[in-house]
Amino acid sequence: LLYERHGEPAAVVQLKDLEVPKLGDCDVHVKMLAAPINPADINMIQGTYPLLSPLPAVGGNEGVGEVLEVGHHVTALKPGDWVIPADAGLGTWRTQGVFPEEMLLKVPSDIPVLCAATLSVNPCTAFRLLADFESLAPGDSVIQNAANSGVGQAVIQIARASSIKTINVVRDRPDLPKLVERLMALGADHVVTEEMLRKPEMKDTFKSTPRPRLALNCVGGKSTTDMLRYLQPKGTMVTYGGMAKQPVMVPVSAFIFRDVRLRGFWMTQWRKDHAQDKESVATMMDALCQLIRRGQLTAPACTEVPLQDYRTALEASMKPFVSSKHILLL
């Protein structure tokens, strides 16, 4: 799926037949199996993301493929192995591709294909958010908005596996009871709407659950200010998205009297910073694959779409209140 200019995805993305390039000595020929449509993919096509691929570009930053053939100098991969992108910008919305070996990470092929296809962005983000900012212990709690997003669902499950409680904020919507039920089934301790977060009764939540030491913000605007109110003194809020397209507003008192910390996180930057640190990447991937094998981490709610129906999938991905991730089957 190729785009030659930036613009609205359904208008600029086209399905094109291209020759598969020749296999170089350090290259890997991959047959793609499945690749999701993420918000960052849409923003890259629109030209509004901080990281843009040179045009013409193939869409998609995430997905899983099977190795068909390897070049003479490739040692870490062999035909039949499953691989995912080592970094953003790979262009995963294609049936086949030839990539340099260092652009791929091997993953076990005994995990479900949809888990592997959605592994490199959201679960990794969730893992780092929970690991890198506060040293959380069993019984501690975390509050997050956009809890039904791919990252939100992964945070709930990874936290649950470590006995960390989650307070999950979602926007009010027509099918709210169904969404609450789904998040509770994943292991959420509390699910509240943004309106409920502003009500005095919210304090009752903290009779059974400690106030959070960590807040995860993917929305911005009012939602952020409301979450901050419940953060413990010296707690940390990490912003990793801005779905409301509004700034993060913090009362001065939160800084002076409660010494809260505000941080930011971008998975792409983490990967750049750790490009030479193979061990920390491997540790993270192993931990996530173990959780998947034990059934403690599942793929987000997915809608599977054949490649030729890509326009429908792109349009559906951009609608409000999307609770299901569209995955292109390649």
Side-chain angles (χ1 to χ4, degrees):
L1 290 179
L2 205 67
Y3 56 101
E4 289 168 348
R5 60 189 171 89
H6 295 300
E8 279 316 295
V12 299
V13 172
Q14 295 173 314
L15 188 54
K16 289 233 168 126
D17 279 331
L18 302 174
E19 288 280 304
V20 176
K22 259 183 60 170
L23 189 72
D25 286 346
C26 301
D27 289 342
V28 179
H29 182 186
V30 177
K31 172 185 183 289
M32 292 303 296
L33 302 172
I37 298 174
N38 288 319
D41 304 329
I42 301 281
N43 296 150
M44 281 173 83
I45 297 165
Q46 290 166 331
T48 58
Y49 202 63
L51 177 91
L52 298 176
S53 301
L55 298 174
V58 177
N61 289 290
E62 190 180 34
V64 62
E66 183 184 333
V67 174
L68 294 179
E69 199 185 345
V70 300
H72 297 308
H73 296 163
V74 175
T75 52
L77 295 169
K78 60 182 190 308
D81 284 347
W82 277 15
V83 287
I84 63 172
D87 211 340
L90 191 70
T92 53
W93 300 349
R94 60 173 99 210
T95 52
Q96 296 189 26
V98 170
F99 308 106
E101 179 184 17
E102 72 270 10
M103 290 176 77
L104 302 167
L105 280 179
K106 183 178 167 179
V107 291
S109 54
D110 64 346
I111 60 175
V113 71
L114 293 183
C115 287
T118 54
L119 184 60
S120 62
V121 179
N122 295 333
C124 290
T125 300
F127 186 91
R128 300 265 54 108
L129 290 170
L130 289 169
D132 293 353
F133 297 93
E134 287 280 344
S135 41
L136 298 168
D140 282 345
S141 80
V142 173
I143 190 167
Q144 64 166 346
N145 54 22
N148 58 310
S149 67
V151 172
Q153 293 176 54
V155 163
I156 290 170
Q157 295 174 84
I158 297 167
R160 181 61 180 265
S162 303
S163 304
I164 291 158
K165 293 181 185 298
T166 54
I167 299 144
N168 301 281
V169 185
V170 295
R171 284 185 300 173
D172 201 1
R173 63 193 64 218
D175 61 346
L176 183 68
K178 212 156 80 195
L179 176 63
V180 171
E181 193 182 322
R182 196 153 62 78
L183 296 182
M184 296 299 270
L186 288 179
D189 293 280
H190 304 277
V191 182
V192 297
T193 63
E194 293 185 338
E195 289 71 27
M196 286 154 73
L197 197 58
R198 293 182 197 126
K199 295 205 163 121
E201 300 84 272
M202 186 65 198
K203 287 196 181 69
D204 298 343
T205 308
F206 301 105
K207 287 175 179 163
S208 59
T209 302
R211 282 189 176 245
R213 288 173 43 196
L214 182 64
L216 306 176
N217 168 44
C218 171
V219 178
K222 215 167 160 35
S223 171
T224 318
T225 318
D226 292 330
M227 281 204 306
L228 263 179
R229 203 171 291 143
Y230 298 106
L231 203 56
Q232 272 189 34
K234 291 189 171 15
T236 304
M237 174 177 278
V238 187
T239 293
Y240 69 96
M243 283 159 50
K245 296 185 168 60
Q246 290 166 350
V248 170
M249 308 287 271
V250 183
V252 171
S253 60
F255 281 127
I256 300 173
F257 304 119
R258 302 208 343 269
D259 189 17
V260 299
R261 285 135 223 249
L262 296 194
R263 300 284 305 273
F265 181 78
W266 186 30
M267 193 65 217
T268 303
Q269 189 61 48
W270 187 92
R271 288 196 192 283
K272 275 198 188 72
D273 296 345
H274 294 79
Q276 302 313 313
D277 181 2
K278 299 275 185 271
E279 199 176 320
S280 62
V281 176
T283 306
M284 170 173 70
M285 296 319 262
D286 287 350
L288 292 169
C289 289
Q290 286 294 355
L291 289 172
I292 292 168
R293 282 198 195 96
R294 292 203 293 260
Q296 292 176 305
L297 179 61
T298 56
C302 290
T303 305
E304 298 173 46
V305 184
L307 182 61
Q308 46 279 21
D309 296 344
Y310 72 93
R311 271 211 176 87
T312 321
L314 285 170
E315 282 165 358
S317 296
M318 295 171 70
K319 290 201 169 89
F321 302 124
V322 178
S323 280
S324 181
K325 195 180 278 293
H326 287 73
I327 303 233
L328 299 167
L329 299 181
L330 307 162

